[in-house]
Amino acid sequence: LAETNAQAVLDQCLPVYRRTEDPEVTVRLQGVLKRVFEVQVLKLPRGFLGIHMGLIQKVNANGVAYNAIRVMSTVENTAAADAGLQPNDLVLRINDFDVDKNPSLEAFVKYVQSHRPGETVKLTVNRMDREQEISVKLGEIPESMKSSVTGDRISVEKKFQEWLKDTSARQPDVQK
C-alpha cells in the first residue's frame, strides 16, 4: 500500500503514531512509515542495470562523432550480466533515451533508476561495429551497493526522522 497509496497509509498511521505511548506500536508504525519514505522520497526500489561504465565519443564509418556509454564490465548476477552485455559494448540508447543527445553518465543512471525492478528496457548496443537490440529486465540495487545510491545509513535515518517530523506536523490529526 505504501507504493500504491502512500497518502492512505499516512492518513491511517500518522495520527496513531503521534498519540501512542506504546513503544512496540511506535516501532511498528515507524517501519511502515519508513517504507512510505523509501518509496515516496528515496524512490526505492530503483531499477538497476549492473554495469561499470564510461562515457566515450566515437566516430562512425562516415566520420560522424557520437557519444555512447562504454560497458567496461558487468556486475555478477545482475540484469546486465543476465542479458549478456559484454565489456566494450557501446550503449547507444535505452528505450527512448538517446545517449548521444544526453551525453552524461548521471543522466543515464537517472534514466535507468527512473524504472522499477522487473521492468524490461530495450538497449540499442553497438557490439563490434554492429548495432543490436537487447532486452534487459532490470533488477534491484544489490544491498551491498544501496548506500552508494541512497547515502549512508546514518544520513538516511536522519533524513527519515526529519521527513517524519515534518510530515507529522503537516498531517491533520484525523480521528476515526
Side-chain angles (χ1 to χ4, degrees):
L1 195 56
E3 292 181 29
T4 57
N5 194 346
Q7 192 58 52
V9 173
L10 292 175
D11 289 345
Q12 295 299 311
C13 293
L14 281 174
V16 177
Y17 175 79
R18 286 196 303 256
R19 287 193 309 264
T20 189
E21 293 180 18
D22 185 331
E24 184 177 343
V25 171
T26 299
V27 168
R28 287 178 185 241
L29 286 173
Q30 275 190 343
V32 172
L33 294 167
K34 191 164 207 164
R35 183 65 187 142
V36 171
F37 171 77
E38 289 174 349
V39 170
Q40 298 297 313
V41 179
L42 297 180
K43 306 292 186 202
L44 295 177
R46 299 176 187 167
F48 184 75
L49 190 54
I51 62 173
H52 298 279
M53 63 189 164
L55 182 66
I56 65 163
Q57 191 172 70
K58 295 282 284 185
V59 177
N60 68 17
N62 299 327
V64 178
Y66 66 93
N67 295 292
I69 300 291
R70 178 176 169 250
V71 177
M72 295 154 84
S73 64
T74 60
V75 178
E76 228 176 281
N77 301 316
T78 62
D82 292 347
L85 284 175
Q86 299 174 5
N88 296 315
D89 280 349
L90 301 178
V91 178
L92 306 174
R93 283 179 296 288
I94 178 169
N95 292 342
D96 60 350
F97 180 92
D98 187 327
V99 175
D100 193 43
K101 292 178 182 170
N102 302 285
S104 158
L105 291 175
E106 183 179 310
F108 180 80
V109 169
K110 280 184 179 181
Y111 184 83
V112 171
Q113 291 181 351
S114 72
H115 292 76
R116 310 280 288 171
E119 284 186 47
T120 299
V121 295
K122 181 175 65 177
L123 297 178
T124 303
V125 174
N126 180 322
R127 180 178 290 163
M128 297 171 41
D129 294 324
R130 287 202 169 117
E131 267 191 37
Q132 58 183 288
E133 289 186 356
I134 300 174
S135 290
V136 180
K137 184 177 180 180
L138 295 176
E140 190 168 341
I141 299 167
E143 199 62 42
S144 62
M145 299 176 82
K146 278 188 180 173
S147 65
S148 66
V149 175
T150 60
D152 62 71
R153 286 188 179 162
I154 294 170
S155 65
V156 169
E157 185 61 31
K158 183 178 177 186
K159 287 177 190 175
F160 168 65
Q161 292 300 331
E162 289 169 359
W163 173 85
L164 183 57
K165 183 179 177 184
D166 182 56
T167 304
S168 187
R170 285 186 287 121
Q171 191 76 8
D173 196 358
V174 178
Q175 302 251 344
K176 300 240 178 201

